[in-house]
Amino acid sequence: MTEMPGPGAFAGAVPLAMAAMGGPGGGATPIGCVLAVAGGSSRVLFDRNALDLVAQDADPVIASAGQVGGQIKMRVGGSWLVANIRSLTLQDNGGDWVAAEIDFLGEGDEERLTGKLYNFRRGVTRYPIPGCDVFPVATIDLKQIYSAADQPHIQIGTVYPTRDVRASLYVDAMLGKHFALVGSTGTGKSTSAALILHRICELAPQGHIVMIDPHGEYAAAFRGNGAIYDVNNLQMPYWLMNFEEHCEVFVTSSGSDRQMDADILAKCLLMARAKNRLGQEIAKLTVDAPIPYLLSDLTNLISLEMGKMDRAGDTAPYLRLKTKIDEIKADPRYGFMFSGMLVADTMADFLARVFRMPGDGRPISIVDVSGVPSEITSVVVAVLSRMTFDFAIWSRNEPQRPILLVCEEAHRYIPSSAKGEGRSASVGRILSRIAKEGRKYGVSLGLITQRPSDLEEGVLSQCGTIIAMRLNNERDQAFVRAAMPEGARGFLDSIPALRNRECIICGEGVAVPIRVSFDGLDENKRPASGDPLFSQLWRDAGGEDSIIQRTIMRWRAQGR
């Protein structure tokens, strides 16, 4: 290596008081120099004495310039290049020099009189040469770097480690290419999701948002500005299901028997749809067309077809289908979907209600599926997801109404093929298709999960914006790291050390990778996801007999 500058060459150049006064963007003292440049990743050399000096600065951004995840800048011509510190290594045995791996984030113009940075943009057009001075980034620089005033955005918190630099998400870029919010249980993930959705609703009170809520957490957060649907008022007609979804509900056999049952169901279902006046008006009716039909017509047609069989043994598939359909019709838990009251053509009303068209100032639908029988939860989510996608496809010639579909606990519905779960499930296929093709048709997908490594491989990489909260599992960390761009690696190393309600955001929704402390939420806007306080609740005694009796009554009635 070439001879390094003498110890303190940078730190001694200007007193600390002057470093805090202005100069180039707030930090007048160089704290090191560029050692090597190699495309997106390069190396710089820091003087330890200079780092000790700036660490005492009153500006927390300048003070963090020599830490992993901190930002530095260097002048190239009339521009400032901004870089993120990925790693630090002691360079020599004497301990006076620290080498750092850096990732370039972007560049901004230099104001001639003050030397301040402005007009920041992602990407680098000119690289520095070895020996170029390195300066700490200051708060005033961050305000320019993270300024989002020129395009639609929502503010969700503050940029770490500042208290007054606002962190923004570019709404069009974030929703146009999907987003994912990941984080371990207990990190504030649900509250952060509610915060982001509240901000979007405030920005677009006539928007169209559908959220799948598997635990009934979000109803409490959106009663004031959303429509809440559960098994008591969802009224989702069974005939909206396509053939694949019918099979998941009605076909119980496996192997070669399953194909036989499916063929019988396809034939009888098509005939049942064709009996409706709407079906008779369609020249080439398909089994997937959302045409109303009577469940009694379907079972009668199955019985008629069964009567044509010569041998008694051939009737087994027909009996299996008929028994399952009759069982579901008689089960009150399925009444929200398979009720005899849902045979009318209510498709337009259902779409208008769920998609918030018009929104009437309540742009979000919370679909609480916690009361849906577990056997058909994935089918209900599949129908809602597919209706969203199909509506976007068949309304292409109409004035566009983009829809945001948010899926909490996404790993339950798009499981990794390596786990061997749900690989044939329709919900996984439709959500994967939305991830790949949805943006072409104006459907945005928001995935929320605590186990990103359990997601189908490739789905996370389809999300243009990733919001990563603390992840405790190494597999999850590696999965998120693989989905994020190279320039965010310095930020990713801090994911295990994030505090609650902190996150790393990178991708299309932000100018450059960013560490954010989320804003707080009013109590009435938070989801009901708080952990029970055992030490407090276990002090509360009395009335256990009536608690048990009321619980048993609801349990037996399968009511809530």
Side-chain angles (χ1 to χ4, degrees), residues 124-399:
V124 175
T125 54
R126 292 176 61 191
Y127 288 97
I129 60 172
C132 177
D133 283 344
V134 172
F135 298 89
V137 163
T139 295
I140 195 169
D141 297 320
L142 288 192
K143 287 182 178 179
Q144 286 293 320
I145 292 170
Y146 297 118
S147 172
D150 60 339
Q151 53 184 303
H153 64 277
I154 55 171
Q155 294 187 344
I156 57 169
T158 54
V159 177
Y160 178 89
T162 73
R163 292 184 179 179
D164 58 348
V165 178
R166 299 296 289 159
S168 301
L169 285 169
Y170 302 142
V171 172
D172 291 332
M174 180 179 79
L175 301 186
K177 295 184 179 177
H178 313 311
F179 71 92
L181 171 59
V182 302
S184 296
T185 301
T187 58
K189 187 171 72 280
S190 299
T191 307
S192 302
L195 170 69
I196 292 170
L197 292 174
H198 274 300
R199 295 285 195 267
I200 293 174
C201 290
E202 290 164 9
L203 180 73
Q206 296 301 323
H208 313 287
I209 306 170
V210 180
M211 180 172 202
I212 310 295
D213 178 10
H215 301 305
E217 295 177 339
Y218 291 89
F222 291 94
R223 290 198 189 282
N225 61 343
I228 314 300
Y229 299 107
D230 57 21
V231 292
N232 298 310
N233 66 346
L234 181 58
Q235 294 181 313
M236 183 170 76
Y238 57 87
W239 47 263
L240 288 176
M241 294 189 296
N242 65 13
F243 173 62
E244 182 182 19
E245 291 149 4
H246 271 88
C247 287
E248 288 189 31
V249 178
F250 294 150
V251 178
T252 57
S253 53
S254 58
S256 58
D257 287 345
R258 185 173 184 83
Q259 186 58 54
M260 188 184 305
D261 292 9
D263 291 341
I264 295 168
L265 179 60
K267 182 179 180 181
C268 296
L269 178 59
L270 183 60
M271 289 191 291
R273 291 197 195 274
K275 292 187 71 171
N276 189 289
R277 179 182 55 81
L278 291 171
Q280 293 167 5
E281 294 172 358
I282 297 174
K284 294 184 178 179
L285 182 65
T286 71
V287 72
D288 286 329
I291 301 295
Y293 71 90
L294 295 172
L295 282 173
S296 56
D297 281 345
L298 180 59
T299 53
N300 288 339
L301 287 164
I302 291 172
S303 297
L304 286 172
E305 290 297 308
M306 182 170 61
K308 298 176 183 178
M309 295 295 102
D310 296 330
R311 296 178 302 169
D314 295 334
T315 61
Y318 299 90
L319 285 172
R320 278 196 298 263
L321 283 171
K322 188 173 181 302
T323 301
K324 183 64 177 178
I325 295 170
D326 288 339
E327 177 187 310
I328 287 176
K329 279 171 62 178
D331 193 331
R333 296 178 303 154
Y334 293 83
F336 73 96
M337 188 174 180
F338 293 93
S339 166
M341 306 296 291
L342 297 175
V343 295
D345 181 15
T346 55
M347 187 172 179
D349 173 65
F350 180 77
L351 294 178
R353 286 191 303 122
V354 175
F355 295 158
R356 311 308 302 146
M357 294 183 183
D360 296 326
R362 291 173 171 254
I364 184 169
S365 288
I366 304 297
V367 183
D368 175 4
V369 295
S370 60
V372 173
S374 58
E375 298 85 357
I376 64 164
T377 301
S378 62
V379 174
V380 171
V381 177
V383 173
L384 290 167
S385 305
R386 185 181 49 77
M387 297 299 286
T388 305
F389 190 64
D390 285 354
F391 178 82
I393 289 178
W394 295 109
S395 64
R396 276 178 295 181
N397 297 326
E398 303 293 334

Side-chain angles (χ1 to χ4, degrees), residues 450-454 471 473-481:
Q450 58 186 316
R451 291 304 306 268
S453 61
D454 287 349
L471 289 165
N473 185 283
E474 287 187 13
R475 283 184 61 239
D476 292 328
Q477 294 169 21
F479 201 81
V480 172
R481 187 174 287 108

